[in-house]
Structure formats: structure tokens, C-alpha cells
Amino acid sequence: MASSLGRVGDGRDVSDRFWGEAHGRVNLIGEHTDYNEGFVLPIPIPQSCLVELTRRDGRTVSVSSDMDGREHLAAFEIGAEVKEGGWSDYIQGVTFALAKEGFSLSGFEARVRSSVPIGAGLSSSAALEVALLLALDRTFDLALDPVRIAQLAQRAETDFVGAPVGIMDQISASLGRLGEALFLDTRTLEHRPVRLPDELELVVIDSGIPHAHATGEYRTRRMECDRSAELLGVRKLRDVTESDRRRISALPPPLDRRASHVVTENQRVLEAVAALESADLSRFGALLDASHRSLSEDFDVSTPVMDRLVDLSRACTGVLGARMTGGGFGGSIVVATKRGTAADVAREILSAGSKMGGGAMPTIVVPADLG
Ligand code: GLA
């Protein structure tokens, strides 16, 4: 489960210690659509973040974390959160967001352990925020529902960390369930699980080139989309469809290509859900390929290394389709394969990818038992 309900049923282990767990995600399709109020289809990965928490008197928060095999320590005061540019910003962002929404907390001690790769575009930060919110919810009886948890986690990123992200990652961490994709309409937040056909397997490879949301390019894309919507006279690009093609093409470059990506990507998500639900694997694979092309050529968020990793994947036996996943400029690729071939495909991509150069140091994330 992406946000499981506790080792002994209620997220409480011994005496006064509570915990929360949330998984990273890989987005199957629907990239850069969430902040345009469009559709997304993420699925949790097996790797997760676990936060154990004990309430303390006073306002001091102390956190120890083991997120990359090393121990890190941080401390701050509730109500005096200050951005530091590191992992503790996500913790401080959460207490900051809770205070903004009227929740009052005392201090606490937290221990964080995460197996979600960092900087791989697999939502390690959303997993941390949501796991912490689950633990805080249980410790302080905040009565938060899963959607509210996702919204608070998103607020931690946008208002405190300063990354203008959409809500996909936090919703996936809060509501996703292992083994099921989550079809989400980011405008209404309506969502439903989508089962993967038995004949389908997934491979996720981290390129080793870290991506970063707070960098200018993500923000620029967001602004370009908002400007395109404004010029087209709609609230968000979600409100534009293929029938507006002539008006999209008339936008000044690069807005024409940016809008074109979002409009076609939204359509691809709907088609991908239908393809999965009718077990049409070749159609699903073709949609992943088309999504990558659009992200690379129209939205300009891929890199030569990601393009080559995707090309390498497509050349492997058993591969149905492949694309970069997440915000882009590095991070991971997701590959759809026929059942029984994922392990071989993963090893083949890794072996070819490690000779590729260009800063790539690929590692296998899924299947997790190979990683
Ligand atoms: C990042 C953001 C998400 C989404 C993706 C791109 O992962 O956190 O909100 O915008 O990029 O699809």
C-alpha cells in the first residue's frame, strides 16, 4: 500500500511512537499535465519512506534521517521554520503548511528512513512529506483525510520549498496502492485505480543524472503553459482540445509546441487508461513512445541521455514502449515490457546504458529485486 495503515493496525508501534509510510511513484503517462489541470496516471513503486515519530513537549523538532545510506541530523523550532536548501526543508515545509492551515503542533522527534532514490524523478520528496503527515496525523489526532494530506504536502513544496509543482506526486503517495495505477483528474481530484493487465511488466531505470524541480526550467514551462492558456482565452490548457488545433498552431513559438504537448498528452492519458483496461498492450506501448516524442520535441524537457536510454530500451526484445518519466532534465525512464521479459530488459538497458557516457550512471529501480 502506498500509505499503509500501520504495523499493528493504527500506525502505532510501541507506547507513544507513531509512524507513517508512503511510496515513491513512477508516472506511466500524463507528464506536465497536472499543473494544467489535466490527467495523470502514476503508479507507486515498491520503494518507500518510513517516518517514526514521538511527541515532545516544547516546540523543538529533531529529526534523524537515513535516506542515502548515511545518517543526517536536523533540528528546528515549530513556528520558526527557515529554508536551508536540503532534505530538512521538506520536514519544515510540512510543519509550516500545517500551521498555515490552522493546525497546532508541539515539538517531536522523528526518524526517517527512505529507500526511494533521490533526484531520480520518482517522488522521494512527496513520499517523505506524506509519510510525515501520516505520522503527524496519528500523533496529534489531526483527522486528515488522504486528499487533504496530499494538498498539505503540495503546499509544503509550493509555499515553503519553493518548487511550483502540481499535485500528482503527493496524491500518488497518499492514495496510490501497490500494483495499481491511479487515474487522476487533477482539476476535480476525482480518481480511480487502474489494474495493469497480467501480461504487462514495468521496468524503471534511473539515469543517474539528477533532476531538480526548483530549477528554472520547470517554472518556465509552467509559465509558458499559463501564457498559452491566456492567449487561447481559457482558464487552463486542460480546456483546449485537438479541435482547437489551428489556434494552437497560431500561438507564438515555443508556446505552440508547449500547448500541443499538453493537449495531446491529456488525450494520450485517456487512451492509455482505455488500452490498459482492454489489455491492448501494443496500443499502450505506442502511447508511451508518442508521449516521449512529445516531451522531447515539443515540451523540450528530455535530454540526449534520456533520449538514448529510451532508444536503447525500444531495441530490447519484449519492449512495448518507453518514455522519460517525471519532471525531466534527467531522472528516470519507464519501460513497458511483455510479462516474463522485465528482468532481461532491465539488465540489457543497464549494460548498454553504462557504456553510454554523457554523465549517465544508470541503475535499476524496478524490478526492485534486481535494483
Ligand atoms: C514533477 C512535479 C509534478 C509534475 C511532474 C511532471 O514530478 O512534482 O507535479 O508536474 O513533474 O509531470
Side-chain angles (χ1 to χ4, degrees):
M1 289 207 311
S3 50
S4 37
L5 277 179
R7 274 171 285 185
V8 288
D10 63 352
R12 184 181 210 146
D13 50 8
V14 286
S15 62
D16 58 348
R17 196 165 54 177
F18 289 82
W19 62 281
E21 181 182 19
H23 287 252
R25 63 98 190 98
V26 61
N27 189 21
L28 294 180
I29 196 158
E31 217 65 85
H32 290 273
T33 46
D34 61 354
Y35 53 81
N36 292 296
E37 298 186 355
F39 306 113
V40 294
L41 190 64
I43 184 168
I45 55 172
Q47 293 84 350
S48 67
C49 179
L50 186 71
V51 174
E52 286 172 304
L53 207 139
T54 312
R55 181 181 191 139
R56 290 283 176 258
D57 291 338
R59 305 192 67 73
T60 304
V61 173
S62 37
V63 191
S64 68
S65 89
D66 177 357
M67 288 194 286
D68 50 11
R70 281 181 304 149
E71 181 91 359
H72 305 268
L73 299 173
F76 64 94
E77 297 285 304
I78 300 263
E81 291 85 352
V82 180
K83 211 174 131 178
E84 286 166 356
W87 63 274
S88 73
D89 286 355
Y90 298 103
I91 312 263
Q92 297 195 72
V94 163
T95 56
F96 172 90
L98 281 167
K100 286 282 168 234
E101 299 202 15
F103 294 95
S104 89
L105 308 176
S106 71
F108 56 86
E109 254 176 57
R111 175 158 175 69
V112 178
R113 272 168 294 161
S114 181
S115 54
V116 185
I118 294 171
L122 301 172
S123 296
S124 57
S125 53
L128 170 56
E129 292 149 2
V130 168
L132 175 62
L133 277 156
L134 283 167
L136 287 168
D137 182 38
R138 291 161 181 161
T139 306
F140 295 97
D141 288 324
L142 304 178
L144 302 172
D145 65 51
V147 170
R148 187 88 194 271
I149 285 183
Q151 288 166 327
L152 282 158
Q154 184 195 19
R155 186 158 188 196
E157 295 237 10
T158 55
D159 294 12
F160 188 80
V161 178
V165 296
I167 200 163
M168 165 171 71
D169 305 346
Q170 292 77 14
I171 286 270
S172 176
S174 179
L175 279 157
R177 284 191 298 236
L178 280 180
E180 283 177 356
L182 187 74
F183 173 41
L184 170 72
D185 178 340
T186 63
R187 169 167 282 173
T188 61
L189 298 187
E190 271 176 65
H191 53 88
R192 70 179 160 84
V194 176
R195 262 204 64 239
L196 299 192
D198 292 339
E199 312 82 69
L200 178 70
E201 280 186 311
L202 297 174
V203 171
V204 179
I205 304 280
D206 173 8
S207 68
I209 299 177
H211 87 125
H213 286 154
T215 56
E217 290 291 342
Y218 185 94
R219 192 181 296 275
T220 304
R221 291 300 175 283
R222 223 189 138 131
M223 277 163 25
E224 289 168 342
C225 289
D226 287 346
R227 179 72 184 136
S228 305
E230 198 182 333
L231 290 173
L232 291 166
V234 292
R235 175 183 144 86
K236 287 281 178 185
L237 284 179
R238 153 70 179 274
D239 301 303
V240 184
T241 63
E242 272 297 340
S243 61
D244 301 297
R245 175 52 65 189
R246 284 203 7 230
R247 295 175 60 229
I248 297 171
S249 305
L251 287 169
L255 303 189
D256 51 348
R257 290 184 294 118
R258 304 294 190 252
S260 181
H261 165 72
V262 175
V263 169
T264 55
E265 185 77 349
N266 273 327
Q267 184 58 30
R268 279 187 289 270
V269 178
L270 301 178
E271 289 179 32
V273 170
L276 288 176
E277 289 179 335
S278 59
D280 186 344
L281 298 193
S282 53
R283 179 72 192 134
F284 180 67
L287 289 162
L288 296 196
D289 290 347
S291 170
H292 185 80
R293 238 185 339 270
S294 179
L295 286 160
S296 180
E297 292 168 14
D298 285 342
F299 217 64
D300 287 323
V301 291
S302 187
T303 62
V305 163
M306 306 299 280
D307 288 347
R308 281 173 61 203
L309 277 174
V310 164
D311 285 345
L312 278 175
S313 315
R314 290 193 190 129
C316 300
T317 310
V319 167
L320 301 156
R323 59 182 285 271
M324 55 150 278
T325 183
F329 309 104
S332 299
I333 63 163
V334 57
V335 185
T337 75
K338 290 188 190 142
R339 175 146 303 276
T341 63
D344 288 342
V345 166
R347 288 196 196 96
E348 207 176 319
I349 302 172
L350 198 64
S351 134
S354 26
K355 296 175 202 128
M356 214 168 69
M361 285 180 296
T363 51
I364 300 168
V365 179
V366 174
D369 47 1
L370 293 181

